[in-house]
Amino acid sequence: MLLQIKNLHVSINGKEILRGINLEVNKGEVHAIMGPNGTGKSTLANVIAGKEGYEITQGEILYNGKDIQKMPPEVRAQEGIFLGFQYPVEIPGVSMTNFMRTSLNEIRKYHGQEPIPAKEFLARMAEKKELVEITAKLTNRSVNEGFSGGEKKKNEIYQMAMLEPQLAILDETDSGLDIDALRIVANGVNKLKTSENATVVITHYQRLLDYIVPDFVHVLFEGKVVLSGGKELALELEEKGYDWIKKETEKR
Amino acid sequence: MAQDEKRLIEEVTQSEYKYGFVTDIETETAPKGLNEDTVRYISTQKNEPEWLLEHRLKAFRKWKEMEQPNWAHLKIAEIDFQDIIYYAAPKKKKELASLDEVDPELIDTFNKLGISLEEQKRLSNVAVDAVIDSVSVKTTFTDTLAKHGILFCSFSDAVKNYPDLVKKYLGMAVSPSDNFFAALNTAVFSDGSFCYIPKGVRSPMELSTYFRINAANTGQFERTLIIAEEGSYVSYMEGCTAPQRDENQLHAAIVEIIAMKDAEVKYSTVQNWYPGNKEGKGGIYNFVTKRGICKGDHSKISWTQVETGSAITWKYPSCILSGDNSVGEFYSVAVTNNYQQADTGSKMIHLGKNTKSTIISKGISAGHSNNSYRGLVKMTKRATNSRNYSQCDSLLLGDQCGAHTFPYIEGANKSSIIEHEATTSKISEDQLFYCQQRGISQESAVGLIVNGYAKEVLNKLPMEFAVEAQKLLSISLEGSVG
């Protein structure tokens, strides 16, 4: 099992956001986590990636069977966890090329590998750019600086393509995208899928799932996974709306 | 003797950039303290002509009447100018001390830099004038340069071989009574570099000088004079390293540049002298006067500096834009960490018509340090249709450090334009996390972000210098986060 989350409780400044999450992700699977705003979707993504400011009060996160709670974020990344950010930050003056090379080489170093030869690196960049239909110019610019919303999201998928993570968590990658960008992003994700990796797509809308077909859909509500099912669950959700979830939960 | 000299220069330039070495050369030193006899002693040691001794004495008498300036945003422990040895000349016999005597932390830092002088020279076609303590041991590449008629030698040699040139230009940009530290330097300067580019000559290589402060308790008073004749061009690089010392060491250098009609001089500095330890103990006191005169029309002087070292930096590389249509530039990155203090910036004095100046200053403060930009842009009445653009950015790491900006503007004519922009920013948690999520450790992330922030200035450095500067920026900020 690639990722196993057991009874995870998380608080921010003493306020409980996640209230007992259980989730199991195997290699070769695509999972979608859906739910209304403010139910803890991004919190879950950030906690898996190791962002500061979250307190795990109960439960555990196992990645490849290892408890990663004490692992610094960069080590989690080096171990193969990738987070596609909802709001990618700008880093002025640092070119995408330099950023990616630094990133790739730090990950290689962790695995005892030599830095990637320049020629190989450039070839890889060219190949992956094509995958997400990114123009050459974008990679010469500073990280996310002056990128449009769509370009930023494409850039996240591009980085995922470059780093080839084992577990990719895409946090609202579809938000703010027009249909074309959405198709490109989804295409990228689909093409990167192998039997050795897994993707967790976090989304508010069913729309993205027209392009990325999940093996499992989980509905997150008030800090808990309240419903899990196959891809048809997403359609049902789309049809009935999140109010249906609220009512279902209240019934219990 | 020539053999010995050659071996010495090899040891200095080829040893793997082990900045921490205390070269155990027996030194002939002047007695502690400063009076007219000290000045005479130095002059005699160097077999100087009478006019130079007089020049020194005049400066010394001025200095005695002056007071150490206190307008900078710096806290400086009192300096006892009578407790300093003002002259140390290496005897030609030498012996290198063992590496064990040096602080391992320092060695570690130097290993991280990992650039040998020899390698730099080979890679980049650089001529190195290695200065150990106060006397230049040897100047390299002189022959190649001589073919182009370029004079590049130690200041002492220049006094011996080209006394007329030295006499004509010494003190032209920085007069002996310019300021307290300039007067001190003029009185006691020991050696330095001299560079003369004849009319119409473009220097075929970057000229470089590596300074070292060596003997304990020896103040370092370097003197550099660069003269670019009509239509000539030179790019000059100054790099500085110093071994660790507990006592604060005083350094007061002068650099003078004279650019004639259509001449261009690029002067680049990477300064990483010992900044003191994490508690703020020790470190170099660096009081430097650097000034260039754009004497001829259409001349250009460009200062680029990366300042990461010294406990105290007091330094304002400036341009006097005397010729019409002349151009002055100042690009600076100043990093302070722990308890370092820097008060640095530039002065652009516009005298000629249609003169242009640019100031780009990037301050980075971390730890408990203080980093100030201080600048003056002056448009005189005659300097019509002139322009200045100044941009002063400050980047803060942590909340114990300080960043300050003191821009002074004087405009005496209506056709000139002065623009000033300033920003202050912090490295955000989100930026750090973004980098970490891509497998980059927090420290590497800080290095990456800081280098990005300083890129505009680093791009102005000669290529091989830029690489070293980038590493230095990261190293000097280690331990500043987390």
Side-chain angles (χ1 to χ4, degrees):
Chain A
M1 197 173 297
L2 192 57
L3 177 72
Q4 189 175 20
I5 297 176
K6 295 186 201 165
N7 189 31
L8 184 68
H9 289 252
V10 173
S11 298
I12 306 174
N13 297 327
K15 189 179 176 238
E16 190 166 58
I17 308 291
L18 299 183
R19 307 169 180 197
I21 299 270
N22 292 293
L23 185 68
E24 291 182 354
V25 178
N26 292 298
K27 286 179 186 170
E29 293 176 352
V30 175
H31 289 244
I33 295 178
M34 303 186 70
N37 288 330
T39 53
K41 299 193 297 294
S42 288
T43 298
L44 179 61
N46 288 335
V47 167
I48 296 171
K51 192 176 182 179
E52 272 179 44
Y54 298 89
E55 195 197 347
I56 297 178
T57 52
Q58 249 191 84
E60 53 185 6
I61 306 170
L62 303 177
Y63 175 72
N64 277 326
K66 265 186 280 184
D67 186 348
I68 58 170
Q69 226 188 105
K70 295 227 163 65
M71 230 182 240
E74 62 268 27
V75 179
R76 299 186 198 200
Q78 288 156 355
E79 286 275 352
I81 297 177
F82 178 91
L83 175 62
F85 284 78
Q86 186 176 4
Y87 304 108
V89 294
E90 301 185 356
I91 309 177
V94 179
S95 71
M96 266 315 291
T97 307
N98 186 16
F99 184 65
M100 272 293 94
R101 202 179 50 202
T102 308
S103 167
L104 207 54
N105 284 340
E106 294 255 337
I107 292 169
R108 288 172 72 103
K109 195 165 90 187
Y110 178 78
H111 294 285
Q113 294 166 306
E114 291 292 310
I116 186 166
K119 209 174 153 190
E120 196 182 314
F121 175 73
L122 291 173
R124 186 151 166 180
M125 281 195 56
E127 181 204 338
K128 304 300 183 186
K129 267 191 271 198
E130 214 166 293
L131 186 79
V132 288
E133 300 177 32
I134 252 181
T135 58
K137 275 184 200 157
L138 225 48
T139 49
N140 293 333
R141 281 160 51 184
S142 298
V143 179
N144 294 320
E145 197 182 33
F147 285 28
S148 71
E151 284 169 341
K152 280 183 183 170
K153 295 301 174 70
K154 274 202 250 176
N155 194 26
E156 292 295 293
I157 304 302
Y158 165 68
Q159 291 177 50
M160 172 181 161
M162 284 296 289
L163 302 178
E164 295 175 343
Q166 218 176 10
L167 174 68
I169 301 156
L170 305 178
D171 187 9
E172 305 260 2
T173 303
D174 55 329
S175 66
L177 291 189
D178 60 28
I179 287 294
D180 276 346
L182 192 67
R183 183 185 49 77
I184 291 166
V185 163
N187 234 346
V189 172
N190 289 334
K191 282 187 190 155
L192 292 171
K193 187 181 165 181
T194 71
S195 59
E196 283 304 301
N197 65 23
T199 308
V200 176
V201 179
I202 292 174
T203 182
H204 181 74
Y205 303 103
Q206 194 272 338
R207 194 174 67 147
L208 179 65
L209 306 181
D210 292 341
Y211 300 92
I212 300 173
V213 182
D215 300 299
F216 300 95
V217 174
H218 312 276
V219 180
L220 196 61
F221 185 67
E222 290 180 343
K224 276 182 184 168
V225 175
V226 291
L227 266 178
S228 287
K231 59 178 185 252
E232 64 286 347
L233 180 58
L235 293 170
E236 198 176 352
L237 203 60
E238 176 78 355
E239 195 184 309
K240 297 183 180 169
Y242 285 121
D243 281 347
W244 165 64
I245 298 289
K246 280 181 199 165
K247 277 173 204 152
E248 286 290 302
T249 344
E250 275 157 18
K251 267 188 227 165
R252 287 181 208 174
Chain B
M1 188 55 71
Q3 201 74 33
D4 271 3
E5 225 175 59
K6 196 170 166 244
R7 236 172 68 209
L8 181 54
I9 191 88
E10 269 171 15
E11 273 173 23
V12 171
T13 54
Q14 293 178 355
S15 63
E16 289 191 344
Y17 217 49
K18 292 156 189 153
Y19 306 37
F21 268 114
V22 178
T23 317
D24 197 4
I25 303 168
E26 257 186 73
T27 52
E28 265 173 31
T29 51
K32 254 186 198 178
L34 183 53
N35 51 46
E36 290 205 2
D37 287 344
T38 323
V39 177
R40 286 178 203 281
Y41 174 86
I42 294 168
S43 196
T44 309
Q45 284 293 315
K46 304 177 72 64
N47 295 316
E48 285 177 355
E50 189 62 26
W51 65 264
L52 192 48
L53 174 62
E54 281 310 313
H55 186 77
R56 285 177 182 275
L57 288 171
K58 219 171 89 188
F60 174 72
R61 285 163 200 150
K62 286 275 184 198
W63 177 76
K64 272 206 305 193
E65 294 162 13
M66 297 168 102
E67 274 182 31
Q68 191 181 330
N70 61 3
W71 40 259
H73 191 82
L74 299 168
K75 276 185 203 140
I76 306 168
E78 203 178 322
I79 302 167
D80 183 353
F81 289 93
Q82 296 306 333
D83 194 38
I84 292 169
I85 296 166
Y86 286 88
Y87 183 75
K91 288 181 179 175
K92 305 290 186 206
K93 213 168 60 179
K94 74 282 138 195
E95 230 176 318
L96 284 180
S98 123
L99 200 58
D100 304 341
E101 291 171 27
V102 184
D103 186 338
E105 203 178 321
L106 198 69
I107 293 292
D108 191 37
T109 308
F110 300 148
N111 286 339
K112 282 178 197 160
L113 279 168
I115 305 167
S116 76
L117 283 180
E118 190 59 27
E119 191 190 356
Q120 286 197 7
K121 231 167 34 175
R122 192 176 50 78
L123 284 176
S124 53
N125 215 22
V126 171
V128 177
D129 175 18
V131 177
I132 298 186
D133 266 17
S134 310
V135 173
S136 282
V137 182
K138 188 171 156 75
T139 307
T140 49
F141 289 98
T142 313
D143 294 348
T144 323
L145 294 173
K147 276 183 206 149
H148 291 81
I150 295 169
L151 310 175
F152 180 44
C153 60
S154 74
F155 202 91
S156 312
D157 285 351
V159 170
K160 274 193 209 105
N161 302 327
Y162 322 109
D164 295 345
L165 281 175
V166 176
K167 196 173 175 183
K168 184 174 172 189
Y169 292 107
L170 184 69
M172 188 179 269
V174 182
S175 83
S177 57
D178 185 87
N179 67 69
F180 181 82
F181 294 108
L184 180 65
N185 174 288
T186 307
V188 302
F189 72 86
S190 38
D191 210 334
S193 297
F194 175 82
C195 175
Y196 177 85
I197 318 289
K199 188 172 169 180
V201 170
R202 287 184 70 85
S203 175
M205 58 178 86
E206 315 257 0
L207 302 185
S208 164
T209 308
Y210 270 76
F211 296 100
R212 291 181 66 103
I213 297 179
N214 209 305
N217 277 324
T218 309
Q220 181 99 351
F221 304 93
E222 296 288 344
R223 188 93 200 191
T224 301
L225 179 57
I226 300 170
I227 302 144
E229 288 284 11
E230 189 176 326
S232 66
Y233 167 84
V234 67
S235 167
Y236 192 97
M237 310 192 297
E238 173 203 330
C240 317
T241 61
Q244 177 163 14
R245 289 287 175 200
D246 265 340
E247 305 89 341
N248 289 307
Q249 283 188 300
L250 177 65
H251 185 93
I254 292 182
V255 177
E256 291 182 278
I257 301 175
I258 321 286
M260 302 304 185
K261 185 166 176 277
D262 295 317
E264 181 179 351
V265 178
K266 273 184 76 168
Y267 192 102
S268 312
T269 310
V270 171
Q271 187 267 115
N272 66 326
W273 282 334
Y274 183 53
N277 69 8
K278 289 189 175 94
E279 284 75 45
K281 194 173 178 315
I284 304 292
Y285 283 15
N286 193 18
F287 301 94
V288 188
T289 307
K290 288 184 169 176
R291 195 174 302 144
I293 305 183
C294 286
K295 218 169 150 49
D297 295 350
H298 298 278
S299 57
K300 180 176 174 182
I301 293 176
S302 181
W303 299 99
T304 305
Q305 63 173 21
V306 174
E307 303 279 324
T308 65
S310 296
I312 289 172
T313 301
W314 180 96
K315 183 177 176 186
Y316 317 91
S318 304
C319 297
I320 297 170
L321 303 170
S322 171
D324 291 347
N325 300 296
S326 59
V327 177
E329 293 175 339
F330 174 73
Y331 300 99
S332 168
V333 176
V335 180
T336 53
N337 195 2
N338 300 318
Y339 287 88
Q340 278 177 279
Q341 307 176 69
D343 194 297
T344 185
S346 181
K347 285 191 277 189
M348 293 291 174
I349 314 293
H350 293 249
L351 302 176
K353 296 184 183 72
N354 309 316
T355 44
K356 260 194 274 181
S357 65
T358 306
I359 294 174
I360 308 285
S361 163
K362 304 264 181 183
I364 299 160
S365 359
H368 296 265
S369 70
N370 262 300
N371 202 324
S372 305
Y373 166 81
R374 184 181 305 277
L376 169 68
V377 176
K378 185 173 179 169
M379 301 282 182
T380 58
K381 207 169 170 187
R382 206 179 79 76
T384 49
N385 295 310
S386 295
R387 290 196 73 134
N388 162 268
Y389 174 73
S390 300
Q391 184 189 328
C392 305
D393 297 331
S394 308
L395 184 70
L396 298 165
L397 280 79
D399 50 13
Q400 305 288 309
C401 54
H404 318 270
T405 309
F406 305 98
Y408 299 92
I409 291 171
E410 292 174 25
N413 74 69
K414 282 182 182 160
S415 58
S416 292
I417 299 168
I418 301 175
E419 281 178 90
H420 180 91
E421 283 179 28
T423 66
T424 302
S425 52
K426 275 186 138 180
I427 292 186
S428 75
E429 299 274 317
D430 286 345
Q431 280 175 327
L432 286 177
F433 180 59
Y434 193 79
C435 293
Q436 284 178 286
Q437 214 304 303
R438 298 301 184 248
I440 302 166
S441 71
Q442 212 169 45
E443 290 212 327
S444 303
V446 169
L448 197 68
I449 294 167
V450 163
N451 273 301
Y453 164 80
K455 197 175 180 183
E456 215 178 329
V457 173
L458 297 178
N459 280 347
K460 299 287 175 188
L461 288 172
M463 187 62 180
E464 61 283 355
F465 236 28
V467 174
E468 190 187 355
Q470 278 178 18
K471 286 185 191 170
L472 267 178
L473 285 190
S474 306
I475 291 170
S476 40
L477 287 168
E478 270 179 9
S480 58
V481 290

